[in-house]
Amino acid sequence: MQLIDSHCHLNFEGLAERLPEVLENMAAQDVKQALAISVSRQSFDEVSAIAEQYPHIYCTVGIHPDREDAEEFTVAELVERAKHPKVVGIGETGLDYYWCKGDLAWQHQRFADHIEAANESGLPVIVHTRDAAADTLKMLKECNTHAGVIHCFSEDIPFAKAALDLGLYISFSGLVTFKNAPLIQETAKYVPSDRILVETDAPFLAPVPKRGKQNEPSYVRHTAEFVAKLRGETLEEVAAYTTENFYRLFTKVPRWEAA
């Protein structure tokens, strides 16, 4: 069996300083590969260094939408960094109306730039959306997004259907295991098996039964087990198709092979 954590932050405090242990825990739970996500210029340097060091770790390049004062990448810079052999996606990027208020033209421009870079580089875009569902879908459509994933899904079935209609994938994090997440759970049953990914968003949002603890990539197994129960499937079935979906979306990642 093979699982992949499609979204984690290995460079963040709590994981970076114990990385060898984190990677050992991954292996023990059959989590064979992980995607380390960039959220800033500094974090890109950090996650790309981790990806260069470990053959089963890959990374992305992007600027998170939560800080207006973040130093930007130009479209050309994003495209240039996307040529790195271990860079397999653009983001995370998107819209966040929960943490950010007022005139958000800067956030829309950042999102548009990332989608343009994704389209130009041929890589998928990793989409963060919070309290911004309608505008997120509008921009994804207007910018002719060619491939991508709604990460850490927190919306409902109508949003998922619209995203699926645009050709995007849906990634479920530990949120789906929470008791107060019936809409996410209904969506996890609704999304077709050829469009689902699983992730941790570590070090955040640890799934039940680890809720309240610091999250790490090995815990993606708990999320996959929960999704399997929701859908009336086995863990092995969910592991198989979420892994296949990951490779179909992130085409630069080679299939894992046992040493």
Side-chain angles (χ1 to χ4, degrees):
M1 187 182 74
Q2 175 185 355
L3 287 159
I4 300 177
D5 184 356
S6 67
H7 191 114
C8 57
H9 301 280
L10 295 177
N11 61 310
F12 280 24
E13 182 179 357
L15 297 180
E17 65 271 25
R18 47 185 285 266
L19 197 54
E21 176 193 353
V22 168
L23 299 182
E24 287 179 8
N25 293 343
M26 276 177 56
Q29 296 300 325
D30 296 312
V31 184
K32 307 300 188 185
Q33 293 168 307
L35 184 55
I37 303 296
S38 167
V39 296
S40 66
R41 291 184 73 105
Q42 177 185 348
S43 77
F44 172 71
D45 293 337
E46 294 168 351
V47 297
S48 60
I50 293 170
E52 288 168 356
Q53 183 176 0
Y54 297 100
H56 60 310
I57 305 298
Y58 290 81
C59 68
T60 67
V61 57
I63 310 292
H64 197 282
D66 63 348
R67 284 184 52 198
E68 182 177 4
D69 62 350
E71 186 181 357
E72 301 285 358
F73 282 121
T74 65
V75 173
E77 286 175 326
L78 288 167
V79 172
E80 182 61 31
R81 283 160 177 77
K83 295 176 183 177
H84 189 293
K86 298 301 291 279
V87 174
V88 302
I90 304 294
E92 69 186 273
T93 182
L95 302 178
D96 193 315
Y97 296 173
Y98 179 84
W99 291 111
C100 303
K101 309 295 182 184
D103 183 359
L104 298 179
W106 61 270
Q107 199 177 82
H108 287 228
Q109 186 60 55
R110 183 181 296 172
F111 190 20
D113 287 347
H114 280 66
I115 297 173
E116 181 181 348
N119 290 343
E120 188 173 333
S121 66
L123 299 184
V125 62
I126 294 91
V127 180
H128 169 106
T129 180
R130 189 167 185 189
D131 290 356
D135 284 352
T136 298
L137 291 169
K138 182 170 182 268
M139 287 196 64
L140 287 166
K141 185 174 183 178
E142 288 178 349
C143 295
N144 298 310
T145 306
H146 87 284
V149 56
I150 305 296
H151 114 85
C152 194
F153 189 85
S154 61
E155 298 293 338
D156 53 16
I157 288 177
F159 180 95
K161 183 180 186 305
L164 292 166
D165 288 345
L166 291 173
L168 275 72
Y169 288 68
I170 306 293
S171 182
F172 293 98
S173 69
L175 282 177
V176 73
T177 71
F178 295 0
K179 289 182 179 179
N180 62 348
L183 294 179
I184 302 174
Q185 292 165 2
E186 287 301 311
T187 306
K189 291 189 281 187
Y190 166 80
V191 177
S193 61
D194 63 350
R195 295 290 193 85
I196 294 181
L197 299 177
V198 286
E199 65 171 86
T200 59
D201 203 13
F204 313 111
L205 302 173
V208 174
K210 302 292 187 178
R211 189 172 184 185
K213 297 183 179 181
Q214 184 178 72
N215 204 359
E216 60 177 83
S218 63
Y219 294 172
V220 77
R221 185 179 184 124
H222 297 295
T223 298
E225 287 174 339
F226 189 89
V227 169
K229 289 178 183 177
L230 280 176
R231 295 168 65 88
E233 298 167 345
T234 66
L235 171 61
E236 289 73 18
E237 287 171 327
V238 171
Y241 64 65
T242 56
T243 294
E244 189 62 32
N245 295 341
F246 181 89
Y247 290 134
R248 192 183 309 116
L249 179 61
F250 295 101
T251 56
K252 282 178 69 175
V253 180
R255 292 176 180 273
W256 178 84
E257 294 183 7

